[in-house]
Amino acid sequence: MKKNIIKSLSLLAIAMLMASCNNQPSKMDGASTADDGTSQGLRIAFVELDSLTEHYEYAKQMRDSLEKMSANANTVLSNKEKELQRSENSIRTKLQNNGFTSEQQYNTAVAALEQERNNAVALASRLNNELQQKQADFLKTMQDSLDNFLAEYNKDKKYDLILNKAMILHSDQKFDITQDVLNGLNNRYNKK
């Protein structure tokens, strides 16, 4: 589950950065990339989103929270499954030992077990939906945080494009602003 959460966060972070880049005005008028990011050409930078999702304090706290929530849900569902198994075994044993005094009594016990199963399915669905909603809320907040930070950050830096490193086949490290973005995001988060 932890790997799935991390993969989901990484994929979302990639999508967030791509969306952030799409929100910036395009200046693709044939200008070439700047050598040092300060010449008159197209100013480009990139961010390693995996590093952000791994080291951004908010992302780490949310990842821990989601993992705990998932573990708790798994524990609850595992206990529910054991409880259902015990009930099923009890009915089977009672049937084998002629413990039911009537067919009606047996049918009532089976109906109660079926209702317990339906409740367990509903519980699993509810817990899964809660986890997915919390992940969606986290990803939205993460996207908003990154968008707002990059907008503010770029007022001074004046980059034409800020890309996701995962989408780049080759680049020079001088275009990497990951640490600046990570420091800025963490500073903003810690102030809150």
Side-chain angles (χ1 to χ4, degrees):
M1 184 67 182
K2 183 177 180 179
K3 288 182 181 180
N4 288 340
I5 291 172
I6 291 172
K7 286 180 184 177
S8 295
L9 293 176
S10 295
L11 288 174
L12 180 69
I14 290 168
M16 289 178 358
L17 191 56
M18 289 179 67
S20 295
C21 291
N22 288 338
N23 291 337
Q24 302 203 6
S26 175
K27 293 191 178 183
M28 300 295 280
D29 57 2
S32 62
T33 10
D35 292 333
D36 61 0
T38 59
S39 70
Q40 303 234 343
L42 186 63
R43 291 181 43 102
I44 297 176
F46 68 82
V47 176
E48 292 186 51
L49 291 181
D50 289 348
S51 292
L52 291 185
T53 58
E54 187 68 27
H55 300 292
Y56 180 24
E57 289 301 320
Y58 172 71
K60 290 193 305 190
Q61 288 179 353
M62 285 308 299
R63 186 173 51 248
D64 291 345
S65 175
L66 289 168
E67 287 171 3
K68 286 177 187 173
M69 187 176 183
S70 177
N72 288 341
N74 286 337
T75 299
V76 166
L77 293 175
S78 176
N79 289 340
K80 194 58 144 167
E81 181 63 32
K82 289 175 187 173
E83 185 180 313
L84 285 169
Q85 190 64 44
R86 282 192 298 273
S87 294
E88 187 177 320
N89 290 341
S90 174
I91 291 172
R92 188 178 305 117
T93 301
K94 196 170 182 179
L95 181 62
Q96 290 171 348
N97 295 329
N98 294 321
F100 291 107
T101 57
S102 68
E103 187 176 334
Q104 176 65 29
Q105 189 182 33
Y106 170 75
N107 289 340
T108 301
V110 169
L113 177 62
E114 190 60 34
Q115 183 61 45
E116 283 183 56
R117 281 191 185 124
N118 291 339
N119 291 344
V121 168
L123 176 63
S125 178
R126 182 177 59 80
L127 292 174
N128 185 46
N129 289 341
E130 287 173 4
L131 183 61
Q132 287 179 347
Q133 184 60 49
K134 188 164 183 170
Q135 284 176 321
D137 292 346
F138 159 63
L139 295 175
K140 183 181 183 322
T141 302
M142 180 92 170
Q143 175 71 49
D144 290 344
S145 178
L146 184 59
D147 287 345
N148 291 329
F149 176 78
L150 287 175
E152 188 65 32
Y153 176 83
N154 207 31
K155 283 181 183 178
D156 293 332
K157 302 297 182 181
K158 308 257 189 252
Y159 289 110
D160 296 307
L161 292 171
I162 300 176
L163 303 171
N164 175 7
K165 168 99 176 169
M167 305 302 284
I168 300 171
L169 296 175
H170 178 72
S171 66
D172 192 322
Q173 283 303 109
K174 66 185 172 190
F175 297 112
D176 187 354
I177 60 169
T178 303
Q179 196 58 51
D180 283 348
V181 172
L182 182 59
N183 291 341
L185 286 170
N186 279 330
N187 287 339
R188 283 174 46 155
Y189 180 70
N190 290 332
K191 285 181 184 177
K192 292 181 184 180

